Amino acid sequence: MTGGAVPPFYVHAPTAGQAPVIVASPHSGRHYSAEFLRMSRLDAVALRRSEDCYVDRLFAAAPAQGATLLHATFPRAYCDANRAAWELDPTMFSEPLPHWCDTTSSKVRAGFGTIARIVSRDGPIYPRPLPFSEAEARIRTCWQPYHDALSALVQVNMERHGSCILLDAHSMPGPLKRRGDLPDFVLGNAWGTACTPALTALVEQHLVAHGYNVARNVPFAGGFVTRHYGRPRRGVQALQLEISRTLYMDQTTLQPHAGFEPLQAVLTDLVASIVRHGDMPGRQAAE
């Protein structure tokens, strides 16, 4: 959370081989500019409650396994790369929105559009309406470059390998006692439309073998990234992975705890398994 010019994303190329695997983290960005903090009614700690804290670090060893790692630097509360570009809440803005904006999606209605209206339990982010130009600038300088980079990485893998696997990595709040405990991981494959059954099973089996409780599609079936990029019949598979924050961090202090490194090791091995799966000749065609 420092000042200065920060690029909207970083790409870490594979350092061992060139597997057709991308690990992406659109919500772990933690550059909260002074301007954004001045604009918000919330402090940085409250804003960070919507952040997928440290997910990029959990997968830091992915390039050493042959995968490409892409992660945003801008916070989810500032601009959400796991939404369509123009999912905007008209109540947030001081003038009518252009006709091309999606103002009625379920995420918009819940307050979590491309420019979020709220941060979970801490309520509204802004004390007053924003000009549409603010949303437009964030989408042009954050959302668009991130997706340009992701699209280019997918295309390069398709040209080089004829296939691509995209693991879209996220974190989720820990157990909600009043609603029953959430699982350790949720695999979102858009109800079977974004990747092959074999890929989902591979990831699930790996995590279960380590003693984790794994669910599929409930309560997270996959966001924009999974649904937009996942085209298994064309050779592009996308799977959203939600990780319970209780496994690796203190949700009050927002600091990693002793579980961080063991989980990081499990996820490093998971990426290695996905790389081996993606490298199998004819695997995508056969599935």
Side-chain angles (χ1 to χ4, degrees):
M1 294 189 291
T2 59
V6 176
F9 62 87
Y10 287 111
V11 175
H12 304 273
T15 57
Q18 292 283 338
V21 177
I22 302 165
V23 179
S25 175
H27 288 165
S28 59
R30 47 190 173 270
H31 173 68
Y32 293 82
S33 69
E35 180 183 6
F36 178 40
L37 293 175
R38 284 194 299 269
M39 192 179 299
S40 171
R41 58 172 285 274
L42 305 177
D43 62 21
V45 173
L47 290 169
R48 289 197 69 194
R49 297 194 194 285
S50 70
E51 180 187 311
D52 287 352
C53 296
Y54 315 115
V55 167
D56 57 327
R57 287 173 50 187
L58 285 171
F59 286 95
Q65 309 305 312
T68 301
L69 175 63
L70 166 70
H71 62 92
T73 61
F74 54 90
R76 177 186 188 180
Y78 184 76
C79 183
D80 194 335
N82 199 29
R83 302 288 179 263
W86 303 99
E87 285 188 75
L88 299 176
D89 184 341
T91 67
M92 291 179 59
F93 298 95
S94 56
E95 67 258 52
L97 297 179
H99 66 85
W100 66 78
C101 296
D102 180 354
T103 61
T104 61
S105 75
S106 61
K107 295 299 185 182
V108 167
R109 292 195 300 271
F112 302 110
T114 316
I115 309 300
R117 175 171 52 83
I118 62 175
V119 174
S120 190
R121 69 186 188 194
D122 294 300
I125 297 173
Y126 306 100
R128 60 187 62 87
L130 302 174
F132 172 68
S133 60
E134 178 67 29
E136 189 172 28
R138 296 184 193 185
I139 291 166
R140 300 294 186 197
T141 61
C142 296
W143 190 98
Q144 195 64 58
Y146 181 88
H147 282 280
D148 286 347
L150 181 52
S151 297
L153 290 171
V154 171
Q155 184 61 32
V156 165
N157 278 302
M158 290 300 295
E159 292 173 354
R160 183 176 295 160
H161 303 282
S163 64
C164 181
I165 294 174
L166 169 60
L167 183 68
D168 200 48
H170 297 261
S171 69
M172 59 186 178
L176 303 176
K177 293 182 180 179
R178 288 182 298 175
R179 296 169 53 191
D181 288 352
L182 288 175
D184 298 316
F185 293 88
V186 177
L187 307 182
N189 59 20
W191 301 102
T193 64
C195 70
T196 63
L199 178 61
T200 304
L202 172 80
V203 175
E204 182 177 59
Q205 290 164 11
H206 179 92
L207 297 173
V208 169
H210 284 274
Y212 294 112
N213 178 23
V214 182
R216 294 190 185 188
N217 292 310
V218 178
F220 306 108
F224 172 79
V225 169
T226 305
R227 297 170 188 273
H228 178 74
Y229 290 93
R231 298 289 185 271
R233 292 184 180 180
R234 300 178 186 176
V236 182
Q237 302 190 66
L239 179 65
Q240 180 173 292
L241 177 69
E242 292 277 356
I243 307 165
S244 175
R245 293 171 193 157
T246 58
L247 296 176
Y248 69 92
M249 63 177 281
D250 185 309
Q251 295 183 95
T252 301
T253 66
L254 305 183
Q255 294 301 310
H257 59 48
F260 184 91
E261 290 187 2
L263 177 62
Q264 188 180 50
V266 169
L267 296 175
T268 297
D269 288 344
L270 172 63
V271 172
S273 295
I274 294 172
V275 165
R276 289 192 295 270
H277 178 82
D279 276 342
M280 290 183 184
R283 164 67 73 177
Q284 276 68 42
E287 294 174 345

